[in-house]
Amino acid sequence: MQSDPISRALSKFPVATLGHLPTPLEPMPRLSEFCGSASLYIKRDDCTGLAFGGNKIRQLSFYLGDALQSGADTILITGATQSNYVRCAAAASAKLGLECHVQLEDRVPKYDHAYKNSGNVLLDHLFGASVSYYTEGAGEDEAGADRQLDELADRLREEGRSPYVVHLSTGHKPVGGLGYVGAAGEILDQIVEQQLDVDAIVVASGSGHTHAGLVVGLKLADCTIPVKGICVRRAAALQQPRVFGLCREIEGMMGIDPVVDESDVRVDDAFLAPGYGKLNPPTIEALKCAARYEGLVVDPVYTAKSMAGAMSLARATPAGKNILYVHTGGGPGVFGYENDLTELLASGT
Ligand SMILES: *Cc1c(COP(=O)(O)O)cnc(C)c1O
């Protein structure tokens, strides 16, 4: 199979079984017709199964595999208030019988009741996670948020517990990226089976673990389909070297020779403004079109932006070509953004 080199390279890593895989890969005929040129397909990684799914389930399979192997009893993780990662970590910990401590960061200046309490936050509490907050250096202070989490881990260690911190800032191994090396294999096998010629893949690029993992996986299997990462947090000039660096680290973790060239890492920040977690007109269009042409929920922070990128690429690509959009999940976020979305729908825009 096309994915064999990938399976071999991943076989040495401990994996916690969390998701329902493989996720479907299917056409989006009505959205394609609306865009009016190339055909759009979707990889349904919003359907990874556990706790409303999303890309974090594949990533956590590797983190929690590592955590279980190291004898951890408590998982620690930090993220934005409406973090999907945090919600998935809380659910995965519950499923595996581990305690979970989540730290929520004031990354988006939104303080309404739904944002602070509904959506992912409601689920964090439901899954029984203990919750603390990081309010300093809001925005781009990844290292500070991780430092505060490490201090908590130290205190838990003194109390005799065995904490495992899921570090997402640069300078830590991008373990979660391995989940998307595996996803690349899944995609390759599916497109062979469906006899589908994919001309480009579009995916959200946040921490970059998903984007980097996909690129490494595809290149490892000798596949040259270009992957376009849609920036959701940082400008392209920052995101490109970040993702390329992550590719090198993922190759290093797997112990393979470098397979990714700098030119393989393509990023587009045309849908980022006005910034992380904030809507713009193409993002609003994508959110509504995904819902109304395909019955899909895409979220305001990540997947509506990447969907806007996929729609834009489909419009700019000749008919007969095929664009694969990777849906990375985030559905519960719409309830956190209830106020904004209600207002948008009422205004009829
Ligand atoms: C986290 C997240 C992303 C971005 O993934 P990274 O690996 O951080 O780049 C995209 N979509 C959704 C829904 C997410 O929760």
Side-chain angles (χ1 to χ4, degrees):
M1 288 213 290
Q2 277 224 265
S3 59
D4 287 346
I6 295 175
S7 318
R8 269 198 302 277
L10 291 179
S11 62
K12 66 174 178 180
F13 294 97
V15 180
T17 303
L18 298 175
H20 300 172
L21 305 178
T23 58
L25 190 159
E26 54 199 20
M28 293 195 281
R30 289 198 0 103
L31 189 61
S32 303
E33 196 186 333
F34 171 75
C35 291
S37 194
S39 297
L40 283 159
Y41 286 76
I42 184 168
K43 174 64 173 166
R44 294 294 306 267
D45 264 19
D46 55 324
C47 300
T48 48
L50 185 69
F52 299 110
N55 62 339
K56 302 308 169 352
I57 302 299
R58 288 188 198 267
Q59 303 196 13
L60 284 164
S61 290
F62 284 87
Y63 279 110
L64 294 195
D66 191 34
L68 288 174
Q69 195 179 54
S70 69
D73 57 21
T74 308
I75 303 301
L76 280 77
I77 188 166
T78 184
T81 303
Q82 283 293 337
S83 167
N84 300 303
Y85 222 147
V86 162
R87 175 247 311 164
C88 292
S93 301
K95 182 177 165 74
L96 297 174
L98 304 167
E99 299 218 356
C100 186
H101 189 99
V102 309
Q103 172 180 284
L104 302 183
E105 304 163 25
D106 266 344
R107 208 186 280 174
V108 183
K110 274 178 68 62
Y111 305 101
D112 62 75
H113 189 267
Y115 185 79
K116 298 215 78 107
N117 297 282
S118 187
N120 287 304
V121 180
L122 174 68
L123 295 170
D124 298 339
H125 290 287
L126 183 61
F127 294 129
S130 47
V131 180
S132 63
Y133 300 91
Y134 181 74
T135 50
E136 289 159 57
E140 210 27 67
D141 186 20
E142 285 186 313
D146 263 356
R147 214 174 307 119
Q148 184 171 300
L149 199 61
D150 284 332
E151 286 164 12
L152 176 62
D154 288 340
R155 288 201 297 280
L156 289 171
R157 224 169 269 120
E158 280 162 22
E159 290 166 16
R161 304 202 62 89
S162 301
Y164 180 95
V165 181
V166 178
H167 285 114
L168 303 171
S169 59
T170 46
H172 297 281
K173 280 189 189 167
V175 175
L178 297 169
Y180 274 83
V181 176
E186 214 175 277
I187 290 171
L188 286 172
D189 289 342
Q190 285 173 315
I191 63 181
V192 167
E193 195 184 300
Q194 297 184 23
Q195 301 182 336
L196 182 66
D197 261 325
V198 172
D199 298 288
I201 296 176
V202 177
V203 67
S205 195
S207 76
H209 291 191
T210 302
H211 181 187
L214 268 182
V215 174
V216 171
L218 293 172
K219 290 296 301 250
L220 179 59
D222 268 334
C223 167
T224 54
I225 300 172
V227 177
K228 193 174 199 184
I230 304 300
C231 297
V232 296
R233 188 157 176 203
R234 287 171 209 85
L238 291 172
Q239 189 70 1
Q240 202 278 345
R242 180 186 173 104
V243 174
F244 181 59
L246 289 169
C247 290
R248 281 284 176 273
E249 287 184 58
I250 293 170
E251 293 161 344
M253 274 191 295
M254 295 198 299
I256 57 169
D257 291 333
V259 289
V260 175
D261 301 319
E262 209 170 340
S263 58
D264 295 323
V265 179
R266 298 166 172 86
V267 294
D268 182 355
D269 60 8
F271 307 95
L272 175 60
Y276 178 81
K278 297 189 188 136
L279 292 161
N280 54 44
T283 302
I284 294 166
E285 184 202 26
L287 210 140
K288 285 191 170 180
C289 288
R292 293 175 184 190
Y293 291 107
E294 298 291 343
L296 290 166
V297 179
V298 294
D299 78 293
V301 184
Y302 299 102
T303 49
K305 287 191 174 171
S306 53
M307 183 61 95
M311 289 169 64
S312 159
L313 185 60
R315 285 165 168 150
T317 303
K321 302 269 185 192
N322 299 315
I323 312 288
L324 177 63
Y325 165 77
V326 180
H327 192 330
T328 44
V334 299
F335 302 105
Y337 280 77
E338 179 190 324
N339 293 356
D340 310 63
L341 297 178
T342 305
E343 217 170 280
L344 269 176
L345 296 172
S347 72
T349 43

